[in-house]
Amino acid sequence: MPRFLIFFLLSLVTVLNAQSDLTRSPVHLQIRTVIDEYETNVRANTQKIIAATTEEERARYRSTVPSAAPYATRVLAIIEASPEDPGGITGIVWLITQAAAFPESQKAFDLLSTTFAASAGIAPAVKSLEFQPLEKVESILETIRQKNPHAEEKAAALYALGMHYFRRFDAGLSPTEEEAAKTRSMDCFQEIISAHGDVKIQGFPIAEQAGRMLFEMANLSAGSPAPEIEGQDLDGQTFKLSDHRGQYVVLIFWGGWCHACHGVLPVVNQFVTDMKTGGKPVTVLGINTDIPTEARKAYADYQVNFRNWSDGTTSGPITTLFNLRNFPTLYLIGPDGKILLKQTSIEAVRESLKGL
């Protein structure tokens, strides 16, 4: 039998044994009972909101959504009563990913970087650290990256570090800081692709996510030529981004499903009107992510006055190409087709174009 296959089988047995130990653990079962109780109460409250017949009734139920605070206290108490039990991993993951606003989460961070740093099963919690301040989690992620023998956990730490360095690169720091952050980010993502190509975290191939981040760094940064967009509007008419070369183009990725978009759309509509009234060489183009029937309703509801590609979903081809992580997202493209502003606002676009 080839050596690599023997190594793979031994690694698989180790992971399966670890998972089996975890699910058999009384600590895991105790924690799972608390979490299930919390989730059951949340679902029951949600059902009451859905079934409510008046806004007053809905508001009353929204005000009584169960807090995770008492459940976080109970989960941490179970972990601390048996700190070496592998079943505590269940609680660590939940405290970090679902109860991050509570003080018990900080204790979970401490345990993650010490007691459980080399454990299997912590990948979801590790990956979620990309949303915490870098100064708070950098040492934790480096510890897990170096000490944890499991591929999922190593890949999760690399991805979280890569995202932190990417955001520093994307933030427009000094050229020296920007280049250093870019290099560190690319190193993390490239290591994931080369060393952890088969790893999935919560069902998603981590190497694919790393590849999209590398594409974004190379092709979607300020100063880069914007990727060509070619697609159809709701009437089936095909058009391209390059049709508008020679003009400034504002791209907005949005959907009627997106609550954050609802307040932005009237501002964008007014911007379109102002640019037309002033005769400015500026075009606004939308990438709508609703299914077609919902898209027509959204256009009418928000009186959209700019042309849109119909991407169909939040995983449509244009949205995927631009590696969207937040909605709405706006870009400003220059007359030469290069990206001027990324993940910006209409206010920033107005400021950038005020000399026209």
Side-chain angles (χ1 to χ4, degrees):
M1 183 181 295
R3 291 178 64 187
F4 79 89
L5 184 56
I6 294 173
F7 176 78
F8 171 77
L9 291 173
L10 288 173
S11 299
L12 181 60
V13 168
T14 300
V15 171
L16 290 176
N17 284 341
Q19 291 175 339
S20 178
D21 289 345
L22 188 154
T23 55
R24 286 198 303 260
S25 160
V27 169
H28 164 79
L29 296 174
Q30 291 175 52
I31 292 172
R32 218 30 271 178
T33 297
V34 175
I35 294 171
D36 289 346
E37 179 185 332
Y38 168 69
E39 292 177 348
T40 298
N41 289 339
V42 170
R43 281 194 296 272
N45 191 273
T46 301
Q47 289 301 318
K48 291 176 182 178
I49 295 172
I50 294 170
T53 56
T54 67
E55 187 55 41
E56 181 181 1
E57 191 178 4
R58 279 189 286 272
R60 184 169 70 252
Y61 288 129
R62 289 192 189 104
S63 69
T64 59
V65 174
S67 169
Y71 300 93
T73 301
R74 290 165 61 188
V75 166
L76 182 60
I78 296 169
I79 296 170
E80 291 183 326
S82 303
E84 302 301 324
D85 193 297
I89 292 170
T90 304
I92 295 295
V93 172
W94 185 78
L95 287 170
I96 289 175
T97 59
Q98 304 298 318
F102 303 103
E104 289 81 3
S105 181
Q106 181 55 56
K107 183 62 177 177
F109 279 119
D110 297 338
L111 291 169
L112 187 65
S113 63
T114 54
T115 304
F116 296 104
S119 298
I122 60 172
V126 174
K127 188 171 182 292
S128 76
L129 299 187
E130 68 171 282
F131 302 110
Q132 297 291 330
L134 178 60
E135 60 273 14
K136 180 179 178 180
V137 299
E138 187 171 20
S139 63
I140 299 175
L141 291 169
E142 286 291 356
T143 297
I144 293 168
R145 175 186 184 181
Q146 295 167 18
K147 293 186 177 181
N148 198 295
H150 307 290
E152 281 190 16
E153 281 62 37
K154 280 186 177 294
L158 282 165
Y159 187 84
L161 284 167
M163 288 302 298
H164 277 293
Y165 301 141
F166 165 77
R167 292 190 182 102
R168 290 182 64 82
F169 157 70
D170 214 35
L173 306 173
S174 70
T176 302
E177 291 175 306
E178 184 178 298
E179 189 59 33
K182 180 180 181 180
T183 299
R184 295 187 74 180
S185 182
M186 291 181 70
D187 286 347
C188 289
F189 293 135
Q190 287 168 347
E191 184 175 341
I192 289 171
I193 292 170
S194 62
H196 305 295
D198 296 329
V199 168
K200 292 183 179 181
I201 298 177
Q202 295 176 303
F204 295 98
I206 194 70
E208 288 185 12
Q209 297 177 48
R212 287 196 292 270
M213 293 309 304
L214 288 171
F215 176 86
E216 181 171 342
M217 295 176 76
N219 299 281
L220 293 169
S221 299
S224 300
E228 176 68 291
I229 299 175
E230 182 172 2
Q232 295 183 340
D233 61 21
L234 276 177
D235 297 321
Q237 298 298 310
T238 299
F239 64 110
K240 299 187 292 184
L241 175 60
S242 58
D243 294 340
H244 299 274
R245 190 64 54 83
Q247 291 188 315
Y248 290 91
V249 176
V250 177
L251 299 177
I252 174 170
F253 292 80
W254 69 283
W257 56 267
C258 161
H259 292 291
C261 299
H262 299 169
V264 173
L265 289 169
V267 178
V268 176
N269 286 337
Q270 185 60 53
F271 175 80
V272 172
T273 299
D274 293 344
M275 294 300 104
K276 287 181 178 178
T277 301
K280 306 295 185 183
V282 181
T283 298
V284 174
L285 298 173
I287 300 88
N288 177 266
T289 56
D290 296 304
I291 61 173
T293 52
E294 293 297 322
R296 292 190 187 279
K297 182 178 185 302
Y299 293 172
D301 287 348
Y302 300 103
Q303 301 177 13
V304 173
N305 62 357
F306 49 89
R307 195 176 189 186
N308 286 262
W309 285 283
S310 179
D311 217 26
T313 71
T314 55
S315 57
I318 303 173
T319 308
T320 299
L321 175 66
F322 277 73
N323 197 29
L324 261 285
R325 294 181 297 282
N326 302 291
F327 290 86
T329 289
L330 283 79
Y331 279 79
L332 175 62
I333 313 297
D336 59 356
K338 292 184 177 180
I339 296 170
L340 296 177
L341 297 176
K342 173 185 177 183
Q343 295 179 353
T344 187
S345 64
I346 283 296
E347 291 75 16
V349 170
R350 282 188 184 274
E351 181 66 22
S352 181
L353 300 179
K354 68 180 182 181
L356 286 181

